[in-house]
Amino acid sequence: MTLPTPPGGRGQHAAPDAAGQSLSAWAAGLPRQQAPARPAPAEWAPPAPAPPRRRAGVIDRHEAPDFPIADYARHSSSSADSSSDDATGRMPGLGDGTPPPPPGEPAGPGAPLPPRPRSTWSRMQRRTDGAPVDPDDAPTVAHPAVAGTPPPPPVDAHAEEDAESLFDDHTGGLEVVVADDHPRRSRRARRAAEHHEEHDSAHDDDHAAGDDAKPRRRRPVAVVLSLVVLAALVAGIVFGGKALIDLVNPADEDYTGQGTGSVDIRVEEGDTLSDIGSTLVEADVIASVGPFVDAAETRPAATGIQPGVYGMRQQMSGAAALDLLLDPATRLFSRVTIPEGFTVARVLQRLAEETETPIEELNAVAADPVALGLPAYANGLAEGWLFPATYDFEPATTPQQMLQAMVARTVQTLDELGVPEDQRLRVITEASLVQAEAASPEDMGMVAQVLDNRIAIGMPLQLDSTVNYASGKDGVTTTAEDRANPSPYNTYYARGLPPGAIGNPGEDALNAVLNPTPGPWIYFVTVNLDTGETRFAVTADEHAANVALFQQWLRDNPN
């Protein structure tokens, strides 16, 4: 049966035990001073649920005997003062052979007090020795409910009995349940419960899903397509990367063989082997520069490739192209050698013959000092300014370019020799006389000294070379009529140097004029035209004897 709630606050109604008496009825006999009043909370708040827990030394209430609380209270003071429990440590009537009192009758005054379990009752007793209070022993404090919290539902007696029955087991004993106030354990327990609930829910879902929840196997077609796509990506990366590398750094490709057809390429002044290779690539003579340069590194002669035009073939190997460039016959140019002492007329004729250039075009340029590029101190005279040397003229070279190159070479030589500009016309003129009269470089310095000695004393130069130039003849001999020509170039007729050169002197003649061989000579004559033997004399008699030797040579060589 259900007993009314004892005064002093809300309590739990215990379910009837095996003897037919509830725990509430048993506790009703306690003195009021022994049952501390619990303060009623301002508003009801549901307690936090805690899992039931069995503790060591707890007595199951179903095995506890029914005895009056009054007798227990009467002997509580003596029990509290005792330092130990009975020898058995058990309550009377619990297995010690003492029969419990009949229901409804109080135990006798001499009945022993029931023992208090150490693990539970000691914690319920307040400490009076000044030791720190365990937080678990702190009195329960009611807190006001948060504003806006709905009022608690009415208490149902049967619901409390059902909740209280949850803590009962089937052992038949009295169980004292102590709530677990430790927040960590409560939180850990809740997490474990939630985990088990989620696991059970997922397990149920898997069973409900059935075969649909099982992973499906990949089909062979999808695997093959994936492999094909992967292979395509790899191939694209490989070939695309190779194309990019070839674009940034082209591979050194090379043709094979000696090539076919013909093409002209030009090597400029100052071109390196790489420059020449690039020119060959542009003309499709070779495929790339690398093989050509590699072949040239093993051929020391490759560094001597001269500027000019070369007749090559297309699509040749790098090595074959190098061999062709080193062949002198490959170079397309006209090599023209102008000897020292040649007059302008003879120079133009040589150019026309060697370069297949019309003589009329050459004469027209030579007659125009501006087109010829003569310096102002040349006095408009082309004679003496076409420097004697060997020239290589390419097929496309114009007559003006040819003659200008010769004039530029003369000016360059005068610059190198350090001849002042106001002296250059005189030096060129005298050097042309030395070039025409001296048979060897060793005699040039002495001839130059004879000319200076005669000019110094006002004596006519009397040179047959000037007579023939004035008459337009060739040779070393003159006639009386030739020597009577009133031309300013006739040194028999006019004193001093002629107005201009009678030929184009070389560098040796120019050096002889600038550095004549010191000596008192007034006369000189070549006595042997085959050997060029020349004799110098100071007096007229010495000179007459030398002239006789020359006449004898002429008789011996009538042709």
Side-chain angles (χ1 to χ4, degrees):
M1 66 181 174
T2 302
L3 299 178
T5 303
R10 294 190 182 131
Q12 291 182 338
H13 300 284
D17 58 3
Q21 187 177 6
S22 66
L23 181 62
S24 300
W26 173 68
L30 291 174
R32 299 187 59 89
Q33 64 272 14
Q34 296 296 327
R38 296 174 60 185
E43 293 184 6
W44 178 87
R53 185 167 306 187
R54 298 290 301 272
R55 295 179 178 268
V58 177
I59 302 174
D60 195 337
R61 72 168 180 264
H62 290 285
E63 298 177 358
D66 291 336
F67 54 90
I69 299 303
D71 295 338
Y72 173 78
R74 186 178 57 209
H75 297 283
S76 62
S77 59
S78 61
S79 298
D81 297 336
S82 63
S83 61
S84 62
D85 296 334
D86 58 351
T88 60
R90 293 173 297 181
M91 295 178 66
L94 297 180
D96 58 352
T98 304
E105 294 184 5
L113 293 176
R116 291 181 297 177
R118 299 177 186 273
S119 58
T120 302
W121 298 101
S122 60
R123 294 181 59 184
M124 296 178 61
Q125 185 177 0
R126 294 182 179 273
R127 297 296 299 270
T128 58
D129 54 356
V133 179
D134 190 345
D136 294 336
D137 298 336
T140 302
V141 179
H143 297 278
V146 181
T149 304
V155 178
D156 187 358
H158 295 285
E160 289 185 359
E161 290 178 359
D162 294 338
E164 190 174 282
S165 65
L166 294 176
F167 298 96
D168 297 339
D169 56 11
H170 300 285
T171 60
L174 177 62
E175 182 178 9
V176 179
V177 179
V178 180
D180 190 355
D181 297 334
H182 202 290
R184 292 188 178 178
R185 293 181 180 175
S186 301
R187 198 178 302 117
R188 189 178 300 118
R190 288 195 298 272
R191 291 176 181 173
E194 293 174 358
H195 174 72
H196 285 296
E197 291 176 0
E198 293 176 358
H199 178 73
D200 294 341
S201 175
H203 184 68
D204 295 340
D205 293 341
D206 291 341
H207 282 289
D211 295 337
D212 295 338
K214 296 181 180 179
R216 296 181 179 179
R217 296 179 59 187
R218 293 182 177 271
R219 296 181 179 179
V221 176
V223 175
V224 172
L225 289 178
S226 300
L227 294 177
V228 170
V229 172
L230 180 60
L233 290 176
V234 173
I237 293 173
V238 172
F239 291 104
K242 183 178 182 300
L244 181 60
I245 293 175
D246 292 341
L247 181 63
V248 176
N249 186 17
D252 291 336
E253 300 179 356
D254 195 10
Y255 293 126
T256 58
Q258 299 297 320
T260 58
S262 62
V263 61
D264 295 343
I265 63 101
R266 178 185 296 275
V267 177
E268 300 291 347
E269 185 75 26
D271 278 356
T272 63
L273 289 174
S274 297
D275 297 334
I276 297 173
S278 299
T279 302
L280 296 176
V281 170
E282 293 177 0
D284 197 26
V285 176
I286 59 176
S288 60
V289 178
F292 173 78
V293 174
D294 293 342
E297 290 178 352
T298 62
R299 304 283 296 275
T303 58
I305 297 177
Q306 298 298 318
V309 178
Y310 294 81
M312 306 292 291
R313 294 185 289 271
Q314 290 183 322
Q315 297 186 357
M316 305 177 65
S317 66
L322 178 63
D323 293 339
L324 199 59
L325 284 174
L326 295 178
D327 186 358
T330 305
R331 187 178 179 189
L332 303 177
F333 61 89
S334 298
R335 178 164 289 180
V336 181
T337 299
I338 306 298
E340 290 86 349
F342 263 32
T343 62
V344 171
R346 296 184 67 179
V347 170
L348 298 180
Q349 186 64 35
R350 177 67 65 87
L351 288 175
E353 294 173 355
E354 298 293 339
T355 63
E356 299 180 357
T357 302
I359 187 65
E360 295 80 11
E361 296 180 4
L362 292 170
N363 288 332
V365 175
D368 186 356
V370 178
L372 192 60
L374 288 174
Y377 47 80
N379 202 17
L381 303 174
E383 198 70 71
W385 295 92
L386 303 180
F387 193 81
T390 299
Y391 297 92
D392 293 337
F393 296 114
E394 298 173 2
T397 305
T398 64
Q400 183 178 4
Q401 291 174 339
M402 295 178 187
L403 298 178
Q404 285 179 349
M406 294 181 175
V407 173
R409 180 69 179 274
T410 300
V411 174
Q412 177 184 354
T413 302
L414 294 175
D415 291 340
E416 293 174 353
L417 295 175
V419 181
E421 290 186 0
D422 58 347
Q423 299 293 324
R424 289 185 177 185
L425 180 58
R426 182 192 68 81
V427 171
I428 287 290
T429 301
E430 186 176 352
S432 67
L433 301 178
V434 172
Q435 187 72 60
E437 296 292 337
S440 64
E442 293 78 10
D443 294 340
M444 288 182 179
M446 299 175 67
V447 172
Q449 186 63 47
V450 170
L451 298 179
D452 290 344
N453 291 339
R454 288 197 173 197
I455 292 174
I457 63 179
M459 181 181 177
L461 297 181
Q462 295 178 342
L463 301 175
D464 291 339
S465 58
T466 61
V467 175
N468 289 330
Y469 182 80
S471 302
K473 296 180 180 181
D474 295 329
V476 293
T477 62
T478 62
T479 65
E481 184 181 359
D482 293 337
R483 291 190 291 269
N485 186 350
S487 171
Y489 285 90
N490 183 2
T491 56
Y492 279 90
Y493 175 82
R495 293 179 180 272
L497 294 173
I502 63 173
N504 293 282
E507 189 171 355
D508 291 339
L510 292 172
N511 279 321
V513 172
L514 296 175
N515 301 287
T517 302
W521 311 288
I522 300 299
Y523 307 96
F524 69 93
V525 61
T526 301
V527 298
N528 190 331
L529 298 181
D530 291 337
T531 61
E533 180 183 356
T534 301
R535 293 194 176 187
F536 296 86
V538 177
T539 64
D541 294 339
E542 294 175 347
H543 178 60
N546 294 330
V547 171
L549 295 175
F550 174 62
Q551 291 173 351
Q552 182 61 41
W553 184 89
L554 289 176
R555 288 190 296 268
D556 295 339
N557 298 278
N559 296 326

